[in-house]
Amino acid sequence: KSESMFPLGDYIEADFSYDPKSVRVDQVKIISAVARLLEQKCQHPIRRIDEEIRRYGTGLWPVTRLLMEWTKWLLGGNNHEEHFFSRKPVEQSSARRYLRTIGRHLVTLAGDENLLEMEAEDLESLYELSAARVIQRKERGYFWARIGSFHRFLMLAGAPPLEITELDGFEAAGFRRVSANLIGEDDFQTFKQAIMNDGGWRPESPHERILLAAILGYRCGLRRREIQMLLLHDVHPDPDPYLVVRSSEFARLKSHSSHRRLPLRAIVPDDELKLLLKHVERRKATLDEACGLVFARQGDPRTPLTDAELFAPITAAFQAIIGLTTPRFRFHHLRHSFANWLFLALVRIDNPELAMD
């Protein structure tokens, strides 16, 4: 039996306990029952949801309980305080649709795992796989919007922050669909030269860090988390430089297929490869620990930089320099561009008549 109390923001607390030995209950049916309850437009919906929570007790899976707590939060409160928040509560009909949109997918895939104990990579995979279950493309933007709301709620309970718009398969609601701009070589070179020609450029500067992280995304197809957690000893120097992406004590990969070895000389231009290898060499020479990170806090080689420290500057700089508008630049555009350009390069080798100049 696992027990915990998790604080949900400054105002909400909920006792959470789940007993794997309890009588198995169809969790999807529980979510459907709560949705039907909201369909009836009862006078005290939060109280009714609490009654359902007490009814099933320790038989609720963590994800089911969290979805029910999220629904109460959407309705404006918790512990029978329907207007406990300054945020405007949603209508019961909206809360019902929100719950139905993501509930069964999350419950089916998460099972009895505790979302509040998941690493960022696990939550990302859960959301991506859940989105892949949405068959109607026109519904995916709405689904992702609800996932964003649900995860903001989880963050109040201590879940790690995620950039939902950077996840694989993300689609925005409305006319803008998949956020996947193709970054061309001219645009990347313009970005690179602007960074290197700025007055703040020097070895080990934030400018160099921005460029190197962008190179790893655009030339090597690394995910944000893979760049954050990249170890110095996974970047192997000349004469045959290569980079290993693998699980470590800092992070797990999303799947076995994510483990890969990248031949750097084949995919990274000489000037950019030289820049990367010199950065790694300098850091190795100044660190006492052999397993430090490629990008780390100053004076603490095993503490990764946050998204705000590493990727937000890249996004801001690229947007300011290139000025993409449909949609605005996201870091994952670099990784998606790598995949597209690599595919075209391979097509050109085997079927040159199918490849564009």
Side-chain angles (χ1 to χ4, degrees):
K1 180 177 180 178
S2 63
E3 297 183 354
S4 63
M5 171 174 284
F6 51 89
L8 302 182
D10 295 332
Y11 302 107
I12 304 177
E13 287 190 352
D15 292 318
F16 170 84
S17 59
Y18 166 65
D19 186 356
K21 297 180 180 180
S22 61
V23 177
R24 301 286 287 187
V25 183
D26 189 326
Q27 306 289 311
V28 173
K29 286 186 177 179
I30 296 175
I31 294 298
S32 297
V34 174
R36 287 195 300 272
L37 182 154
L38 296 174
E39 193 171 13
Q40 299 168 8
K41 296 185 178 180
C42 56
Q43 188 173 0
H44 301 289
I46 293 175
R47 190 175 303 167
R48 292 290 302 278
I49 295 174
D50 279 333
E51 290 172 359
E52 293 296 299
I53 291 173
R54 288 192 294 270
R55 174 185 175 189
Y56 292 103
T58 58
L60 288 175
W61 284 352
V63 63
T64 309
R65 175 67 185 274
L66 287 168
L67 284 163
M68 295 168 81
E69 295 289 347
W70 171 61
T71 303
K72 291 163 56 179
W73 181 70
L74 290 171
L75 291 168
N78 203 306
N79 297 330
H80 312 305
E81 296 290 344
E82 298 189 24
H83 301 286
F84 214 52
F85 298 96
S86 58
R87 59 184 297 277
K88 183 179 179 180
V90 303
E91 298 293 333
Q92 290 188 47
S93 57
S94 296
R96 181 185 73 249
R97 187 183 178 195
Y98 295 175
L99 182 62
R100 282 179 170 169
T101 297
I102 68 173
R104 61 188 175 90
H105 298 301
L106 292 180
V107 167
T108 300
L109 292 176
D112 59 5
E113 294 292 322
N114 187 350
L115 273 61
L116 297 178
E117 295 176 355
M118 285 185 173
E119 301 287 342
E121 296 91 341
D122 299 323
L123 286 166
E124 289 175 351
S125 295
L126 173 63
Y127 296 154
E128 290 169 349
L129 292 172
S130 297
R133 290 169 53 90
V134 180
I135 298 175
Q136 296 294 327
R137 182 175 179 179
K138 63 182 181 181
E139 294 292 330
R140 291 178 196 157
Y142 188 83
F143 177 90
W144 278 111
R146 305 289 73 78
I147 286 292
S149 170
F150 179 68
H151 191 74
R152 285 193 294 274
F153 171 76
L154 290 191
M155 287 171 60
L156 298 177
L162 300 178
E163 185 62 57
I164 298 296
T165 60
E166 298 283 354
L167 299 189
D168 291 345
F170 171 79
E171 299 190 17
F175 293 105
R176 189 182 70 187
R177 293 297 181 186
V178 179
S179 177
N181 260 331
L182 182 65
I183 305 300
E185 184 64 26
D186 288 346
D187 282 343
F188 191 79
Q189 288 296 330
T190 299
F191 166 78
K192 181 172 76 174
Q193 293 305 317
I195 296 295
M196 297 185 71
N197 293 333
D198 188 84
W201 173 267
R202 64 181 182 280
E204 302 300 321
S205 66
H207 289 66
E208 184 187 61
R209 188 170 65 211
I210 286 173
L211 180 56
L212 289 175
I215 288 170
L216 289 170
Y218 187 66
R219 303 297 186 188
C220 303
L222 266 63
R223 296 180 174 90
R224 294 155 62 101
R225 188 73 171 171
E226 292 169 344
I227 294 172
Q228 283 176 303
M229 302 303 173
L230 183 63
L231 295 169
L232 290 166
H233 65 224
D234 283 338
V235 182
H236 296 257
D238 284 323
D240 182 24
Y242 64 93
L243 184 153
V244 177
V245 181
R246 58 183 174 183
S247 297
S248 70
E249 62 181 293
F250 296 97
R252 290 175 295 178
L253 296 183
K254 290 188 172 184
S255 65
H256 180 72
S257 62
S258 296
H259 186 128
R260 56 206 189 273
R261 170 174 165 158
L262 304 175
L264 293 175
R265 199 169 295 285
I267 56 178
V268 182
D270 288 342
D271 62 322
E272 296 172 16
L273 178 57
K274 182 178 180 180
L275 195 67
L276 174 62
L277 295 180
K278 280 189 172 295
H279 171 79
V280 171
E281 181 182 354
R282 283 195 306 268
R283 285 191 53 75
K284 285 182 177 179
T286 58
L287 297 179
D288 295 330
E289 300 185 51
C291 58
L293 295 163
V294 173
F295 304 107
R297 291 279 180 86
Q298 186 172 4
D300 192 352
R302 294 169 63 83
T303 299
L305 296 173
T306 65
D307 282 14
E309 292 170 314
L310 188 56
F311 299 111
I314 298 174
T315 301
F318 209 103
Q319 185 65 39
I321 294 167
I322 305 302
L324 298 177
T325 57
T326 54
R328 290 176 61 85
F329 174 79
R330 302 287 187 186
F331 186 84
H332 71 253
H333 295 158
L334 298 177
R335 189 168 76 85
H336 290 171
S337 298
F338 163 80
N340 280 280
W341 293 125
L342 181 62
F343 171 76
L344 288 176
L346 295 175
V347 168
R348 187 176 290 112
I349 291 173
D350 294 332
N351 303 282
E353 70 281 2
L354 299 179
M356 298 171 60
D357 291 334

